[in-house]
Amino acid sequence: MGISSSQVRQDFFSFGGNGLQGYGYDVEYLHQEIRSILGLDTAHSMIIIGAGSLGHALAKHTNFAKSGFNITAIFDIKSELLGEKINDLEIRHLDSLPEFVSKNRVDIATLTVPENCAGEVAKFVIELGIKALWNFSPVEIITPEDVLIENIHIIDSLIVLGYNLKEIQT
Amino acid sequence: MGISSSQVRQDFFSFGGNGLQGYGYDVEYLHQEIRSILGLDTAHSMIIIGAGSLGHALAKHTNFAKSGFNITAIFDIKSELLGEKINDLEIRHLDSLPEFVSKNRVDIATLTVPENCAGEVAKFVIELGIKALWNFSPVEIITPEDVLIENIHIIDSLIVLGYNLKEIQT
DNA sequence: TAGATTGTTAATCGATTAACAATC
DNA sequence: TAGATTGTTAATCGATTAACAATC
């Protein structure tokens, strides 16, 4: 992965030594330690808002659960989608989100909504007290200080690729 | 976006001054200049390999074309998908990729295949002479020096969110 | 003891920020 | 001329790398 041994040791060092000088690391213990630091051994409850093709793709993805991120509900506003099931999860109307939040713990809200309503939906979700947003829309969403946001701006990555390609092709 | 004026000026400076001291920037000219630097004003031909739910989602996405990234074909190996159309593009068999590449320019190959065959597909694509991969599988793919790769490791972003959430919740 | 490998500090490097000259 | 804003260099900061002591 192009990471130097120095950096690996420095990084481990900052979380406290995990190895034995002159001997090496207990890989299994270290692995568990890193999982614990990253929070991969704790369960997270996650909802998906927006059951378009990207929402569907994420809902069908089984890898998230393996890392402790459990999808607990899917919401949309299109009435023709309501009731449809994805991996045992029924698509619910966004109007029922407040009730869902009051009855269920929601750690993370995934936003796979069209860009023209991403801001509005984010606001709605934040007002319900959800503290972490996983945003797939290309919009820059401003959140209060106590609300986290992680953006997956897919096109940015494609633009980087295109830029580097330009350099290579000349 | 949390970027200082110093940084903006420094960045513009590194590509050559675009403004007028004491007056400001010609925003429209600057915008076009940046588009040109990023290569957003040149067309790229892109194929999608893997017509699963993520492949479908990307194929339906219209924003890529707006930035000059045109999806020109979709490939899969599942025979039951062949012939299905997504946005006017027919799903083709992966076996026909060599012929396609010989007849059409392909700048970028998007990999939305299951992780257990990502490496193999990448190798196949590289051997056909494609110089840029856009990889959505969670696998770390090693490419020759003259082949670019951009990874979208979706789960990494989710793990970052979970990690920061842990900090907040304590 | 010799070799190997981690822990920890110091040196280096690169990116960000600050400062101010240039100039409209 | 005074005010404003960019261009460019220097200072600062943080991350990476190098070095070597500690110790199995």
Side-chain angles (χ1 to χ4, degrees):
Chain A
M1 291 169 70
I3 297 171
S4 67
S5 67
S6 257
Q7 186 152 328
V8 170
R9 288 204 305 283
Q10 187 71 271
D11 286 354
F12 288 175
F13 173 56
S14 78
F15 284 104
N18 298 286
L20 206 54
Q21 287 181 326
Y23 181 71
Y25 295 98
D26 179 336
V27 173
E28 198 164 332
Y29 171 77
L30 182 63
H31 180 240
Q32 191 47 49
E33 199 66 13
I34 292 171
R35 284 182 58 84
S36 162
I37 289 167
L38 293 176
L40 291 176
D41 52 0
T42 58
H44 296 276
S45 164
M46 179 162 77
I47 61 172
I48 293 176
I49 303 180
S53 53
L54 188 53
H56 269 80
L58 293 177
K60 283 180 191 158
H61 219 267
T62 54
N63 274 359
F64 303 137
K66 282 182 198 162
S67 299
F69 297 91
N70 303 305
I71 299 168
T72 50
I74 304 167
F75 298 86
D76 206 299
I77 47 166
K78 281 196 182 158
S79 48
E80 65 262 34
L81 291 172
L82 305 182
E84 184 194 323
K85 286 201 165 185
I86 313 174
N87 278 7
D88 288 340
L89 281 177
E90 198 180 305
I91 298 177
R92 304 165 190 242
H93 197 283
L94 191 56
D95 290 345
S96 70
L97 180 58
E99 193 199 337
F100 184 87
V101 170
S102 70
K103 291 187 180 162
N104 301 276
R105 170 175 181 154
V106 175
D107 296 313
I108 297 167
T110 305
L111 302 186
T112 49
V113 297
E115 64 179 289
N116 58 19
C117 60
E120 196 183 346
V121 172
K123 195 174 161 223
F124 181 55
V125 163
I126 291 169
E127 278 167 0
L128 292 173
I130 294 176
K131 294 297 181 197
L133 306 184
W134 197 25
N135 173 43
F136 282 78
S137 83
V139 176
E140 197 70 25
I141 294 172
I142 311 284
T143 59
E145 245 189 39
D146 66 331
V147 177
L148 300 171
I149 186 160
E150 262 287 311
N151 295 294
I152 298 208
H153 291 324
I154 296 184
I155 194 143
D156 290 4
S157 157
L158 188 54
I159 289 172
V160 169
L161 191 58
Y163 175 78
N164 290 326
L165 197 55
K166 199 178 69 166
E167 305 292 295
I168 263 192
Q169 286 172 338
T170 52
Chain B
M1 293 170 70
I3 296 170
S4 67
S5 66
S6 257
Q7 187 151 327
V8 170
R9 287 205 304 284
Q10 188 70 270
D11 286 355
F12 288 176
F13 173 57
S14 78
F15 284 104
N18 299 285
L20 207 53
Q21 285 181 328
Y23 180 73
Y25 294 97
D26 179 335
V27 174
E28 198 164 332
Y29 171 76
L30 182 63
H31 181 240
Q32 190 48 49
E33 200 65 13
I34 292 171
R35 284 182 58 84
S36 164
I37 289 167
L38 293 176
L40 292 176
D41 53 0
T42 57
H44 296 276
S45 164
M46 180 161 78
I47 62 173
I48 292 176
I49 302 180
S53 53
L54 188 53
H56 269 81
L58 293 177
K60 285 181 189 158
H61 219 266
T62 55
N63 274 358
F64 303 138
K66 283 183 197 162
S67 298
F69 297 91
N70 303 305
I71 299 168
T72 51
I74 305 167
F75 297 87
D76 206 298
I77 49 166
K78 282 196 182 158
S79 49
E80 65 262 33
L81 290 173
L82 305 182
E84 185 194 323
K85 285 203 168 187
I86 312 173
N87 277 10
D88 289 339
L89 281 177
E90 198 179 304
I91 298 178
R92 304 165 189 240
H93 197 282
L94 191 56
D95 289 344
S96 70
L97 180 58
E99 193 198 338
F100 184 87
V101 170
S102 71
K103 292 188 181 164
N104 301 275
R105 170 177 179 154
V106 175
D107 296 314
I108 298 167
T110 305
L111 302 186
T112 49
V113 297
E115 64 179 287
N116 59 19
C117 59
E120 196 184 346
V121 173
K123 195 175 162 226
F124 180 54
V125 163
I126 291 168
E127 278 167 1
L128 291 174
I130 294 176
K131 294 297 181 195
L133 306 184
W134 197 25
N135 173 43
F136 282 78
S137 83
V139 176
E140 196 71 25
I141 295 172
I142 311 283
T143 59
E145 245 190 38
D146 66 330
V147 177
L148 300 171
I149 185 161
E150 261 289 310
N151 295 294
I152 297 209
H153 291 323
I154 296 184
I155 196 146
D156 290 4
S157 158
L158 189 54
I159 290 173
V160 169
L161 191 57
Y163 176 78
N164 291 325
L165 197 55
K166 199 178 69 166
E167 304 292 294
I168 263 193
Q169 286 173 339
T170 51

